[in-house]
Amino acid sequence: MGISSKNTESFGRPLNWLVFQLMTSLLITTVSKTCETEGWLDLLESSEENDSSNLVAGSAPRPLFAASPKHSTKTLDKNPFIQAVESKYFVDKTPMIIFFHQQTKPILVTAPRYFGKTTNLYMLRNFYEILVDESGVEVDKNHTENRALFAGLVKRKRASKKTIFRDEKWCDEQMATHPVLHYSFENLTISRVMNFLKSFQQLTARVCKEHSYLLKSDRLSPANITLLRSYCDASASGVTRQGLCASGRDMSALLAAFFGRPSLVLLDELDAPILRLLTNSIPDAEMREILAILKEFSTELFINNPAVVDRAFLTGNTELSTIVAPSNAVHLRFTQDEEITPFFGFSEWEMDNLIRDSELHDRDIRKYYDGYRGQNSSEWVYNPYSLRHHLIRQYNGVYWSSALPLETFTALYKNSEFVREIFENATKTDATEKEIKVLGPHIFPVEEKMAMLREMLAKAKPVTSIAQKAVFVDFLYQLGYLTDKTQSRTKPDRDFLVIIPNKEVTEIFRQYCQKMKA
Ligand SMILES: *[C@@H]1O[C@H](CO)[C@@H](O)[C@H](O)[C@H]1NC(C)=O
Ligand SMILES: *[C@@H]1O[C@H](CO)[C@@H](O)[C@H](O)[C@H]1NC(C)=O
Ligand SMILES: *[C@@H]1O[C@H](CO)[C@@H](O)[C@H](O)[C@H]1NC(C)=O
Ligand SMILES: *[C@@H]1O[C@H](CO)[C@@H](O)[C@H](O)[C@H]1NC(C)=O
Ligand SMILES: *[C@@H]1O[C@H](CO)[C@@H](O)[C@H](O)[C@H]1NC(C)=O
Ligand SMILES: *[C@@H]1O[C@H](CO)[C@@H](O)[C@H](O)[C@H]1NC(C)=O
């Protein structure tokens, strides 16, 4: 069975971040007007962690380690979800937990960068994770920081009407019920297979070490402990490719043996290495080897696993994520799958509430930051990252950046008239000129699309055929540079019409074209 799919220009981030820090610390002391907001979590995605860690040492969000014996390291262990909850611009997306809870298969959500994937992933972790002390003894789940965090949402009256904590009984039953395996592919190196294996081993070792309390357990056999020890050692030379691919599966088995419960598996930034492969000159054979290893890892973990993985949340920017996702994953796309879009974007209503909260009345922000739209929906969706940064700085600027900046396409811009036209049309003022019509059919297997994109990006093959145009435009769409103009994509083999979503993205194109002409 295949993947089911229903088918910077920023003004110096460190400064933003500092302003953000100052603002939040000032604003936290002011009385914030209470209002029912429904929906959106304020965003801090992984790249922002990097920015913040550059500036304020010690305040970078880090995962709440399962094995962490302390539960009061308030400043050190703030992951993006906790930061969001504590932010003035928090919008409650906890109803996503209920949606997620109802799923019976791994969920792969793809959305452009900075649309809340990592934040929501941490929300799930904070909700479901069984916290243990360093010797593996479960912390009383009524008295964990996680419990206080979610309970606090209701008390602060900042929660959605549908917030899960209105149903305390359900939460009592469901909170802290799973050990968590949390991987992020964000920083995997792909320059050569050897380097990749090294960085993948470091990643798996880091995840195993979060569960190092298992080493002391008498519920595991000596053979289990030996295995675990080898996985925890990032420099172990004895770990084979096969062992690496089996490590997720084995970890979930050991956790099941220890807790008597299935794991929650979180795989963040699934396509980060794939997007890097698109522009890298690594030989094709090595590229295929890297993809095969990642695919085998997820197949072992989700398909060939006798220990049950009860729930799984996977994220990525584009559909290329499906190349390494397990075959039983259900792929849901931002704007194209309406049931998940509200969890990853700001509605008009949510924006209104935030503005009311912050006493800003700048109607221009609509032009700048909304405009993302689902196929069947007449409702606009705001870019939540940019909106929040606008509220902090009170300035209509460019805050968002895509996972692949326009510079990635420079060779194409230079030698492909079609690409140059798209970029230059994007800067025009007349809306109809910004429309891009692409002729169908554009259905190919995703591996084939990746090969086409790699030809264009790594080898600067001009975009000329109808198929290439369709694949290229769809890729820009997935990266967040374009959105649906019409509802034409309900039939995937028809023409589709896309458009630049808003003024912020127009400005990104404008600045880029200016640079190219200079
Ligand atoms: C990726 O690397 C950056 C820079 O070192 C770091 O700040 C970030 O936390 C890393 N992300 C993950 C998921 O480890
Ligand atoms: C993290 O920050 C460093 C230093 O500014 C930068 O070189 C690196 O590219 C950043 N990494 C990511 C993933 O943004
Ligand atoms: C936790 O709280 C629930 C009710 O909120 C109660 O039924 C349960 O006994 C408590 N558990 C412990 C270990 O105190
Ligand atoms: C753990 O040890 C038991 C008994 O030796 C064995 O049956 C099981 O396969 C081991 N689990 C893993 C994940 O290796
Ligand atoms: C959009 O509407 C069409 C026709 O009603 C339906 O077949 C399709 O599944 C819908 N798409 C989404 C994403 O809801
Ligand atoms: C750019 O705009 C012109 C004029 O509206 C239009 O004819 C052309 O098709 C557009 N190019 C693309 C690639 O959409």
Side-chain angles (χ1 to χ4, degrees):
M1 191 177 117
I3 300 260
S4 87
S5 77
K6 294 186 231 158
N7 306 354
T8 272
E9 285 57 35
S10 105
F11 305 102
R13 285 261 178 62
L15 182 60
N16 282 349
W17 178 252
L18 182 60
V19 173
F20 172 68
Q21 293 271 319
L22 292 174
M23 294 285 296
T24 16
S25 55
L26 287 174
L27 292 169
I28 255 162
T29 54
T30 67
V31 183
S32 74
K33 207 168 127 198
T34 60
C35 74
E36 296 277 350
T37 53
E38 203 180 0
W40 179 247
L41 280 181
D42 192 328
L43 298 162
L44 287 163
E45 286 213 41
S46 24
S47 301
E48 206 181 17
E49 293 178 28
N50 192 11
D51 301 330
S52 63
S53 59
N54 293 336
L55 198 72
V56 201
S59 74
R62 296 198 194 124
L64 260 180
F65 292 127
S68 169
K70 296 186 210 111
H71 297 282
S72 56
T73 45
K74 288 254 185 276
T75 49
L76 283 178
D77 285 325
K78 281 183 182 170
N79 68 45
F81 174 64
I82 297 177
Q83 293 202 359
V85 169
E86 291 178 354
S87 153
K88 176 176 167 64
Y89 302 113
F90 170 67
V91 179
D92 181 9
K93 295 293 184 188
T94 55
M96 194 189 92
I97 298 175
I98 301 193
F99 171 81
F100 179 73
H101 198 82
Q102 290 159 351
Q103 307 306 311
T104 54
K105 289 180 178 168
I107 297 299
L108 165 64
V109 170
T110 54
R113 188 183 186 207
Y114 291 144
F115 276 74
K117 300 181 295 294
T118 300
T119 307
N120 282 339
L121 179 142
Y122 273 102
M123 175 175 75
L124 296 174
R125 180 169 180 172
N126 282 122
F127 184 80
Y128 282 112
E129 182 165 31
I130 300 175
L131 295 173
V132 296
D133 69 16
E134 60 197 339
S135 44
V137 177
E138 266 185 55
V139 177
D140 173 5
K141 69 183 210 169
N142 288 358
H143 297 103
T144 61
E145 275 196 358
N146 285 346
R147 179 76 198 205
L149 187 71
F150 283 96
L153 294 182
V154 174
K155 289 208 192 85
R156 283 161 58 198
K157 299 204 166 115
R158 302 192 63 177
S160 154
K161 281 193 181 116
K162 294 183 210 143
T163 199
I164 49 165
F165 258 83
R166 304 231 181 259
D167 187 349
E168 275 202 48
K169 188 169 170 297
W170 188 80
C171 289
D172 284 341
E173 283 163 14
Q174 303 305 337
M175 260 196 96
T177 48
H178 296 279
V180 172
L181 284 172
H182 178 174
Y183 299 84
S184 168
F185 289 179
E186 184 189 5
N187 291 336
L188 288 179
T189 309
I190 51 91
S191 51
R192 299 309 301 249
V193 172
M194 281 312 295
N195 304 353
F196 167 76
L197 285 171
K198 187 99 210 105
S199 73
F200 197 34
Q201 190 181 351
Q202 281 163 0
L203 168 62
T204 55
R206 209 177 314 130
V207 174
C208 293
K209 271 195 225 148
E210 289 188 31
H211 299 285
S212 51
Y213 53 85
L214 292 177
L215 288 168
K216 299 174 198 155
S217 167
D218 51 17
R219 276 174 251 178
L220 302 182
S221 73
N224 291 163
I225 304 283
T226 308
L227 185 70
L228 183 63
R229 201 160 269 137
S230 76
Y231 286 149
C232 285
D233 181 1
S235 63
S237 48
V239 177
T240 59
R241 177 199 145 140
Q242 202 185 5
L244 215 47
C245 292
S247 70
R249 180 199 68 198
D250 288 345
M251 281 306 294
S252 68
L254 298 181
L255 288 170
F258 183 81
F259 288 101
R261 316 224 191 120
S263 295
L264 163 69
V265 175
L266 305 171
L267 294 190
D268 205 11
E269 307 269 2
L270 221 52
D271 62 350
I274 303 181
L275 294 181
R276 263 174 232 144
L277 284 169
L278 287 182
T279 53
N280 193 288
S281 54
I282 184 171
D284 285 354
E286 294 204 27
M287 176 194 78
R288 280 195 296 271
E289 173 79 357
I290 289 173
L291 295 176
I293 291 167
L294 290 172
K295 178 77 176 187
E296 192 178 326
F297 174 81
S298 68
T299 302
E300 288 299 315
L301 181 49
F302 293 102
I303 314 279
N304 302 338
N305 192 349
V308 191
V309 167
D310 196 47
R311 306 188 181 283
F313 184 70
L314 296 75
T315 82
N317 277 271
T318 69
E319 66 177 345
L320 300 181
S321 309
T322 60
I323 294 173
V324 297
S327 58
N328 62 345
V330 177
H331 181 196
L332 299 168
R333 308 154 197 231
F334 175 66
T335 66
Q336 281 176 273
D337 290 295
E338 279 163 28
E339 66 266 52
I340 60 113
T341 301
F343 306 133
F344 297 87
F346 253 150
S347 70
E348 186 71 23
W349 191 79
E350 287 164 345
M351 187 281 294
D352 275 343
N353 272 328
L354 277 182
I355 289 206
R356 195 152 14 106
D357 235 5
S358 72
E359 289 159 15
L360 276 177
H361 299 284
D362 183 355
R363 292 289 114 183
D364 253 4
I365 65 175
R366 196 164 279 135
K367 272 192 248 154
Y368 266 87
Y369 306 117
D370 83 352
Y372 288 92
R373 181 157 90 164
Q375 286 179 3
N376 285 2
S377 165
S378 56
E379 238 207 270
W380 301 109
V381 178
Y382 283 80
N383 178 325
Y385 178 86
S386 298
L387 187 58
R388 193 198 62 181
H389 280 78
H390 165 90
L391 292 171
I392 292 165
R393 290 177 60 101
Q394 309 203 0
Y395 178 78
N396 286 325
V398 174
Y399 301 107
W400 178 76
S401 61
S402 169
L404 288 184
L406 290 181
E407 281 72 15
T408 315
F409 306 102
T410 293
L412 271 187
Y413 174 92
K414 286 185 178 153
N415 75 3
S416 174
E417 200 184 323
F418 178 73
V419 173
R420 197 162 51 245
E421 248 185 45
I422 291 178
F423 285 22
E424 270 155 26
N425 281 6
T427 68
K428 306 242 170 87
T429 42
D430 182 351
T432 58
E433 283 180 312
K434 297 183 189 182
E435 287 175 4
I436 307 164
K437 189 169 183 185
V438 177
L439 302 174
H442 60 284
I443 341 173
F444 307 104
V446 66
E447 287 81 4
E448 212 169 300
K449 289 188 192 173
M450 182 181 174
M452 288 166 77
L453 287 167
R454 192 153 191 261
E455 293 251 280
M456 297 176 208
L457 295 178
K459 299 169 189 161
K461 185 174 179 184
V463 182
T464 49
S465 73
I466 288 174
Q468 285 169 330
K469 288 179 180 176
V471 167
F472 180 76
V473 170
D474 194 38
F475 190 55
L476 288 183
Y477 171 91
Q478 293 175 50
L479 290 170
Y481 289 114
L482 298 167
T483 193
D484 280 290
K485 160 83 178 179
T486 61
Q487 303 169 8
S488 57
R489 259 204 276 190
T490 48
K491 290 228 163 59
D493 58 341
R494 294 266 181 85
D495 304 353
F496 61 100
L497 197 57
V498 288
I499 192 164
I500 309 295
N502 55 38
K503 216 166 158 181
E504 181 183 38
V505 179
T506 300
E507 187 59 19
I508 290 173
F509 278 102
R510 200 188 58 74
Q511 288 176 4
Y512 175 79
C513 290
Q514 238 171 20
K515 226 185 296 169
M516 293 309 293
K517 284 178 187 145

